[in-house]
């Protein structure tokens, strides 16, 4: 028995080839097996590679060669050999387990998924293969999601959630992909399921709250985001959207401390600076509002919204000359960013939602 504890994959090598019940294998196989049993996997590799070539219709040489690569810790060669064996011997379940395990470790997700998908169809009752395929879809989906390929990520994350309905990470990341694709009701369903599976999962309440806020359900968003802030007070986006939800409910004074924390902790985040500027202006804290609005404009000079708000403040404080200069600039920015056709009204978000 060759047992590599770190890999979690077992490959069986017998002391004799006779018990495999077919015609004797070439001498190269016997030489390779002898070296394996002497704990010399590096020396065994060459004769076992020859054995594979000399007995192309037999699975046993592939088992031995995989064992040699596994004992060496040669993951690339092991994955390549097991993949080839899985294609040649689709009735051999053990090769697919190796492909799934090492495909994930090597981040060769697509290759491993292509191999394991028909295997799971062949052996639907084999929990190990199903779990490996789900993990591969989840890992590939998250990789694509983090790279901004939301539509491609969605395909894999849907597969992961289907294969493992109880996997909270699958549902959480499925919700992220759906939210990024502006499929908000479906995203909320995914986040709600993740929250039911594990209400204490980090960021699950944030994602619920963010989606509820995007849907205009400010009270439900406030409740979810308050849970996230309580559990994870250092997470700035939760502070920001908690403050925005409070603003949406008209609770401006309650929003101010949250937005102050968000803006102070994220000085380069234009959305946080703008939210604090809006709130401060509404509460009559004009000096704070002006500081934050000017900072927003410096961070995002192409956005007309903070410019327009600063124009209002300047007019309130009788600084009309600067106000008119900025008003002209705001009009130019608005024309540059306007996408609606003549006679058409189109509503667009004034901010970029952090993910």
């Amino acid at each position: 028995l060759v047992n590599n504890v770190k890999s979690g994959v077992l490959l069986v090598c017998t002391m004799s080839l006779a018990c495999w019940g077919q015609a004797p294998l070439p001498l190269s196989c016997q030489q390779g097996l002898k070296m394996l049993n002497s704990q010399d996997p590096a020396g065994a590799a060459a004769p076992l590679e020859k054995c594979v070539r000399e007995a192309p219709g037999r699975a046993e040489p592939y088992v031995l060669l995989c064992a040699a690569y596994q004992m060496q810790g040669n993951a690339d060669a092991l994955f390549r050999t097991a993949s080839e064996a899985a294609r040649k011997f689709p009735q051999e379940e053990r090769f697919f387990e190796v492909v799934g395990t090492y495909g994930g470790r090597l981040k060769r997700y697509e290759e491993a998924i292509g191999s394991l998908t028909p295997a799971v169809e062949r052996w639907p009752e084999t929990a190990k293969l199903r779990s490996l395929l789900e993990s591969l879809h989840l890992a590939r989906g998250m990789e694509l999601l983090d790279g901004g390929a939301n539509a491609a990520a969605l395909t894999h994350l849907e597969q992961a959630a289907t294969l493992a309905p109880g996997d909270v990470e699958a549902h959480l990341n499925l919700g992220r992909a759906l939210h990024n694709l502006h499929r908000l009701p479906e995203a909320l369903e995914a986040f709600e399921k993740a929250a039911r599976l594990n209400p204490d999962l980090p960021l699950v309440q944030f994602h619920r709250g963010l989606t509820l806020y995007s849907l205009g359900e400010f009270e439900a968003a406030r409740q979810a985001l308050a849970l996230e802030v309580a559990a994870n007070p250092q997470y700035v986006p939760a502070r920001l959207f908690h403050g925005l939800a409070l603003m949406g409910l008209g609770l401006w004074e309650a929003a101010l401390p949250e937005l102050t924390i968000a803006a102070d902790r994220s000085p380069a985040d234009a959305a946080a600076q703008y939210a604090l500027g809006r709130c401060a202006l509404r509460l009559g804290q004009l000096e704070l509002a002006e500081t934050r609005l000017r900072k927003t404009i410096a961070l995002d000079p192409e956005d007309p919204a903070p410019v327009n708000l600063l124009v209002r403040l300047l007019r309130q404080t009788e600084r009309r000359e600067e106000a008119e200069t900025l008003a002209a600039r705001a009009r130019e920015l608005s024309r540059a960013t306007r996408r609606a056709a003549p006679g058409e009204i189109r509503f667009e978000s004034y901010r970029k939602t952090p993910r």
Side-chain angles (χ1 to χ4, degrees):
L1 182 68
V2 176
N3 178 7
N4 186 328
V5 177
K6 289 183 180 180
S7 75
V9 178
L10 300 179
L11 296 171
V12 176
C13 299
T14 60
M15 294 298 293
S16 168
L17 298 176
C19 66
W20 281 350
Q22 295 189 35
L25 287 165
L27 180 62
S28 56
C29 297
Q30 299 178 40
Q31 293 172 337
L33 178 58
K34 183 177 180 180
M35 291 182 179
L36 282 181
N37 288 327
S38 300
Q39 300 297 306
D40 181 14
L48 290 174
E49 289 167 358
K50 183 179 179 182
C51 176
V52 166
R53 294 191 298 272
E54 292 177 341
R58 302 281 291 273
E60 300 94 325
Y62 282 96
V63 174
L64 293 172
L65 184 55
C66 284
Y69 290 142
Q70 183 181 353
M71 291 172 70
Q72 289 182 65
N74 189 340
D76 285 308
L78 176 54
F79 177 75
R80 182 182 66 252
T81 302
S83 297
E84 181 182 332
R87 288 191 296 272
K88 293 187 68 172
F89 307 102
Q91 74 281 5
E92 293 283 350
E93 188 175 324
R94 54 189 161 181
F95 292 128
F96 293 98
E97 289 193 21
V98 178
V99 170
T101 299
Y102 281 86
R105 293 180 188 181
L106 295 169
K107 298 186 177 182
R108 295 169 71 170
Y109 304 122
E110 298 283 0
E111 294 174 69
I113 288 168
S115 181
L116 257 68
T117 298
V120 169
E121 292 172 358
R122 179 189 286 264
W123 297 291
E125 73 288 349
T126 303
K128 176 67 173 178
L129 291 179
R130 190 178 182 89
S131 175
L132 284 169
L133 183 58
E134 186 269 338
S135 296
L136 290 164
H137 276 297
L138 177 58
R140 178 58 173 154
M142 292 175 65
E143 182 180 63
L144 289 166
L145 187 61
D146 291 340
N150 297 303
L154 179 63
T155 301
H156 288 285
L157 295 169
E158 286 177 330
Q159 287 294 321
T162 300
L163 287 163
D167 188 334
V168 65
E169 289 284 348
H171 292 287
L172 179 68
N173 287 285
L174 174 59
R176 289 177 58 208
L178 288 165
H179 187 278
N180 291 351
L181 292 167
H182 308 290
R183 294 167 58 174
L184 299 181
E186 296 166 90
L188 183 59
E189 288 179 15
F191 292 136
E192 295 284 8
K193 184 160 188 178
R196 288 194 297 272
L197 289 168
N198 183 359
D200 298 321
L201 181 72
L203 298 184
V204 70
Q205 299 299 341
F206 167 73
H207 287 297
R208 280 188 64 236
L210 174 61
T211 307
L212 287 162
Y213 176 80
S214 299
L215 288 166
E217 298 184 29
F218 298 130
E219 176 55 29
R222 181 198 66 77
Q223 294 177 24
L225 291 162
L227 290 173
E228 188 65 49
V229 168
N232 189 6
Q234 301 304 313
Y235 189 58
V236 172
R239 295 278 194 179
L240 172 59
F241 281 95
H242 187 217
L244 290 170
L246 289 166
M247 287 169 60
L249 293 167
L251 302 174
W252 298 86
E253 290 185 359
L256 186 66
E258 289 287 63
L259 296 175
T260 301
I261 291 172
D264 288 346
R265 291 182 183 174
S266 298
D269 186 340
Q273 305 304 321
Y274 179 58
L276 179 55
R278 284 180 61 210
C279 188
L281 182 60
R282 179 62 177 257
L283 294 172
Q285 298 188 26
L286 302 185
E287 184 177 350
L288 175 61
E290 182 174 349
T291 299
R292 298 300 175 155
L293 290 172
R294 290 189 186 278
K295 189 166 187 177
T296 305
I297 294 167
L299 290 168
D300 188 1
E302 304 303 316
D303 186 356
V307 182
N308 277 316
L309 209 55
L310 183 57
V311 168
R312 287 181 54 195
L313 186 153
L314 292 170
R315 286 174 175 167
Q316 282 182 240
T317 54
E318 302 296 329
R319 288 176 281 174
R320 295 191 176 278
E321 184 176 348
E322 185 182 3
E324 293 310 311
T325 300
L326 285 175
R329 178 181 172 189
R331 288 192 294 271
E332 289 299 320
L333 290 172
S334 296
R335 278 193 288 269
T337 58
R338 186 176 185 274
R339 297 184 181 90
E344 176 188 6
I345 296 175
R346 183 178 299 171
F347 296 97
E348 296 181 293
S349 174
Y350 64 83
R351 58 174 172 76
K352 296 178 181 177
T353 303
R355 296 288 184 259

